[in-house]
Amino acid sequence: MSPHDDAATDPAPAPAIAGPTAGDESAELLDLLHRLLRDIRRSATSSLGPASQAPGQVRMLRVLQHCDGPLRLGHVASALDVAPRSVTSKVDAAEADGLVRRIADPTDRRATLIELTDAGRALLADVSARRHEGVAGRLDRLAPDERAQLLTLLRRLADDPTP
């Protein structure tokens, strides 16, 4: 049996993950925006050091930050578009880190509400500052006229075309 005979029994190699096809500008734009934002988020949270939070954890904290008051777990799960049990584990971890606290729902004794603590707000402020630093660092790669052109083009794309 030659070494080439084994090749017939080896499983097929995994298919490569294809990026946007040539000429598909909308797919390329989406891919570039996704990669850029993901890299900025990851860089900001990983730069917090050993106490860094996973991006999903930061996202949950942001949901709490943008609400008018404490939320039930089910509302947080809906806002994140995840299963409630996923939120429970995130809340458990965030509570252990002192970033959120559980409080009794004054309208329903059986329910629990979640709210940010001052430490949670401070962490979000730090993550936000680090994200801004990361974006500024990326913009520094461009000449001033390129930055101005990029922002002009992005503003045009972001404008709502409906009157």
Side-chain angles (χ1 to χ4, degrees):
M1 183 186 285
S2 75
H4 299 291
D5 292 337
D6 289 339
T9 61
D10 287 343
I17 298 175
T21 59
D24 189 352
E25 292 171 334
S26 62
E28 183 178 11
L29 175 62
L30 287 171
D31 181 58
L32 290 169
L33 289 173
H34 176 74
R35 284 179 24 215
L36 177 64
L37 292 174
R38 182 193 64 226
D39 290 349
I40 290 167
R41 282 191 303 267
R42 284 186 178 164
S43 176
T45 54
S46 68
S47 68
L48 295 172
S52 70
Q53 302 295 312
Q57 184 85 334
V58 172
R59 191 168 158 239
M60 181 199 68
L61 296 174
R62 286 201 183 285
V63 165
L64 293 170
Q65 179 184 40
H66 295 324
C67 66
D68 292 335
L71 292 178
R72 287 186 179 185
L73 285 173
H75 290 116
V76 175
S78 292
L80 295 172
D81 195 26
V82 298
R85 68 181 169 277
S86 297
V87 172
T88 301
S89 61
K90 287 183 185 344
V91 169
D92 289 345
E95 186 176 35
D97 292 341
L99 304 173
V100 301
R101 75 176 131 258
R102 288 178 164 98
I103 57 173
D105 185 336
T107 63
D108 183 351
R109 301 182 310 177
R110 300 166 297 168
T112 301
L113 301 174
I114 309 304
E115 68 179 358
L116 273 178
T117 62
D118 289 340
R121 284 183 195 75
L123 176 93
L124 288 174
D126 194 17
V127 168
S128 180
R130 291 173 188 269
R131 284 182 179 178
H132 284 276
E133 290 170 9
V135 171
R138 288 174 185 260
L139 285 174
D140 285 345
R141 298 177 191 172
L142 303 175
D145 61 322
E146 291 173 319
R147 286 193 300 267
Q149 183 180 18
L150 173 65
L151 292 173
T152 298
L153 293 171
L154 287 173
R155 285 183 199 114
R156 190 178 330 157
L157 289 176
D159 282 346
D160 185 2
T162 58

